[in-house]
Amino acid sequence: MQGLDYDAIVIGAGMSGLYQLIRLRELGFRTRVFEAGSGVGGTWYWNRYPGARFDSESYSYGYSFDPELLQAWSWSEHFAPQPETLRYLNHVADRYDLRRDIQFETRVAAARYEEATRGWTVTLEDGSRHTARFLITAVGVLSAPTLPRIEGMESFAGRSWHTARWPKEPVDFAGLRVAVIGTGATGVQTIQEVAKTAGHLTVFQRTPNWCAPLHNRPITEEEQRRIKASYPEIFRRCEETFSCFIHTTDPRGTFEVTKEEREAFYEELYASPGFGIWVGNFRDMLTDPAANREISDFVARKIRQRVKDPALAERLIPTNHGFGTRRLPLETGYYEVYNQPNVRLVDTRETPIERITPAGILTSAGEQAFDVIVYATGFDAITGAFDRIDIRGAEGRRLKEAWAGGARTFLGMLVEGFPNMLMLLGPHTALGNIPRSIEYNVDWATRLLRHAQERALTRIEVRPEAVQAWHDHVLSCAEGLLTFQVDSWMTGVNRNVEGKQTRVVARYAGSAPDYRAWCDAVTAGGYRELMLA
Ligand code: NAP
């Protein structure tokens, strides 16, 4: 590779970056991975907040590419906690000797495509430059944390963190006055854990979210044997379902069954572990408003049963969106937390936060003192991690500007005008059970790189008409879905980020099998959608 330092530079050593590195080594690529953290793990490295754990069944989440790895690792719980997942990813890094190609504590500031060399120049925050033929982004979907825009945050005299920047040493909340701002999947997990030990916990809720029970428990020895014996079936099943979870959408429509049958089915789902109630529910739950109202009413009744104070229960029931139209937080005793004497809910729609003070938080109802403020305020999702790097394509055009009105990609992996750049978990790839999407994306990208390698091709760029066709497909998949009529990270809305106030189709809403069919057709057709030179 005349004059280029590497064949490929990978940004990020989370689940995607690690697996991509393994595959690039098989191609014989000289690869460098730049990782901002001091260790591997990405999402599972950064999100150390108390209570962080899987919402996917553990045994459907790990890498599936190596049967020996599957047999070597034993998950301890059906939904493993973050420290265990981080141990798992370190185990993977050790097992395949990955660290020697990863440079830690290294943030990428910029990446620029140079036509003269048909390569990328990557500039690190320390100013050093590194060149490679291919740039592979493995930057994650929910990896650019966003703090709220509240006056006075820097003046707070106690301790405060965003949940994705949690300190490595354990935090003891005993006797402390703790505030948690935000009630998404992260806030819910944090709140139910911190409430166990905090002297006093105040939850600042702007929008309640629908939550459902996780029903986690340890994996018994007998279950462990069965899981290890059935990995091929588990992953085959994940390959067949809509979003790669082990749960299958019920083929029935909500109103094709009697009210009694419907109620019994909802009860069964509510009592079952994991995402069944979200992705294994009636097929029309997210398309028919009346069907959605049925399940919403059912879950609202559950909340009223679980929260003793009726007025408080009403504050915890969403009124501006239906069940499952935002990403469903799974919980363990979340609603019961509000029955504890040491927990209080502040509804910021009634009493807005005015500012953070040195002592605590001032709302329109007065000031409350805190020792700790936890910001569970989410992420600049999907495109945020790209926006934070100055990525420039063939004509010096900045990716952030190219995507200003919403991202446009081909299969979520390629961008017009950005030759030799491949994205893992880029915008408009199929998401769902993330590791399943990662493995597919990495294998597809690797096949393309092998194709180029075998033919001594040095330039890969997607044709504009292919991008248009994919974009049309992405938009058509979102049509009629209630999910796209609601503000959330899936519709690209983050009120804490400039330019992200308007809904877009931020997430591919087709099925994973459909997504893979599109991608496989491109490979089988000899990459006619790409300009290869
Ligand atoms: P999120 O769903 O975007 O939630 C952010 C929360 O912060 C929302 O409740 C939001 O309120 C609130 N917020 C933001 N700014 C605020 C402000 N200025 N004042 C008051 N409240 C404010 O983020 P997240 O909870 O971190 O979850 C993001 C995604 O990460 C999840 O949807 C999920 O995909 C993933 N996740 C997965 C797991 C798992 O697998 N177990 C766990 C955690 C997270 P509004 O709703 O009003 O904007």
Side-chain angles (χ1 to χ4, degrees), residues 49 53 142 148 183-186 189 206-207 326-327 376 378 489 496:
Y49 61 85
R53 65 172 62 247
L142 295 152
T183 51
T186 303
Q189 288 186 334
R206 185 165 66 187
T207 312
R326 291 172 132 199
R327 200 290 205 165
W489 68 261
N496 300 317

Side-chain angles (χ1 to χ4, degrees), residues 43-44 47 49 51-56 61 142 146-150 162-163 181-189 204-209 275 320 326-330 348 353 375-379 487-490 493-496:
T43 286
W44 300 105
N47 287 273
Y49 61 85
R53 65 172 62 247
F54 287 156
D55 279 344
S56 306
Y61 193 96
L142 295 152
T146 47
L147 286 165
R149 296 193 279 193
I150 307 173
H162 188 283
T163 43
I181 301 179
T183 51
T186 303
V188 166
Q189 288 186 334
F204 289 83
Q205 172 190 269
R206 185 165 66 187
T207 312
N209 281 304
F275 273 141
N320 69 348
R326 291 172 132 199
R327 200 290 205 165
L328 183 75
L330 293 179
T348 67
I353 297 176
Y375 295 103
T377 44
F379 301 88
D487 287 352
S488 78
W489 68 261
M490 298 195 189
V493 177
N494 184 326
R495 285 194 256 165
N496 300 317

Side-chain angles (χ1 to χ4, degrees), residues 186-423:
T186 303
V188 166
Q189 288 186 334
T190 307
I191 290 160
Q192 66 199 16
E193 196 59 32
V194 171
K196 290 177 185 164
T197 55
H200 196 276
L201 169 66
T202 306
V203 176
F204 289 83
Q205 172 190 269
R206 185 165 66 187
T207 312
N209 281 304
W210 297 101
C211 310
L214 175 66
H215 297 300
N216 183 33
R217 58 184 174 81
I219 293 176
T220 64
E221 275 182 35
E222 174 48 29
E223 284 172 329
Q224 195 71 259
R225 269 193 297 278
R226 248 184 293 134
I227 288 165
K228 289 195 178 180
S230 53
Y231 269 127
E233 290 97 277
I234 291 170
F235 292 118
R236 197 171 318 122
R237 184 165 181 164
C238 290
E239 224 174 88
E240 288 165 0
T241 61
F242 194 93
S243 36
C244 306
F245 294 105
I246 59 170
H247 309 276
T248 316
T249 313
D250 195 288
R252 297 171 299 169
T254 303
F255 301 107
E256 286 166 22
V257 302
T258 64
K259 193 163 178 47
E260 290 68 37
E261 282 173 303
R262 195 156 60 236
E263 196 74 10
F265 183 50
Y266 290 156
E267 285 290 357
E268 184 191 321
L269 290 172
Y270 200 77
S272 305
F275 273 141
I277 195 164
W278 192 31
V279 295
N281 214 312
F282 292 119
R283 64 171 157 74
D284 53 359
M285 182 185 88
L286 293 176
T287 50
D288 176 2
N292 188 267
R293 211 168 305 120
E294 287 289 307
I295 179 70
S296 300
D297 288 347
F298 172 86
V299 179
R301 284 198 297 278
K302 289 288 180 195
I303 298 171
R304 290 187 187 107
Q305 284 162 13
R306 291 174 60 183
V307 178
K308 283 186 191 147
D309 174 346
L312 185 52
E314 293 312 311
R315 287 197 180 90
L316 289 163
I317 297 172
T319 51
N320 69 348
H321 66 282
F323 179 83
T325 59
R326 291 172 132 199
R327 200 290 205 165
L328 183 75
L330 293 179
E331 47 85 24
T332 306
Y334 174 65
Y335 291 106
E336 286 73 12
V337 156
Y338 295 97
N339 299 331
Q340 290 180 209
N342 67 330
V343 177
R344 179 170 162 250
L345 181 80
V346 173
D347 186 332
T348 67
R349 292 166 305 179
E350 291 168 7
T351 50
I353 297 176
E354 291 182 350
R355 57 176 295 123
I356 308 286
T357 64
I361 298 180
L362 177 71
T363 70
S364 60
E367 188 182 22
Q368 197 181 336
F370 292 106
D371 302 302
V372 176
I373 300 178
V374 175
Y375 295 103
T377 44
F379 301 88
D380 186 357
I382 303 178
T383 51
F386 290 91
D387 289 353
R388 291 181 185 190
I389 303 171
D390 186 3
I391 301 175
R392 289 179 193 257
E395 273 139 38
R397 187 154 185 233
R398 190 161 175 202
L399 186 62
K400 186 178 178 181
E401 279 146 27
W403 285 354
R408 286 171 65 88
T409 73
F410 182 56
L411 311 175
M413 289 190 270
L414 293 152
V415 184
E416 180 191 343
F418 293 76
N420 293 359
M421 181 177 89
L422 281 152
M423 302 178 295

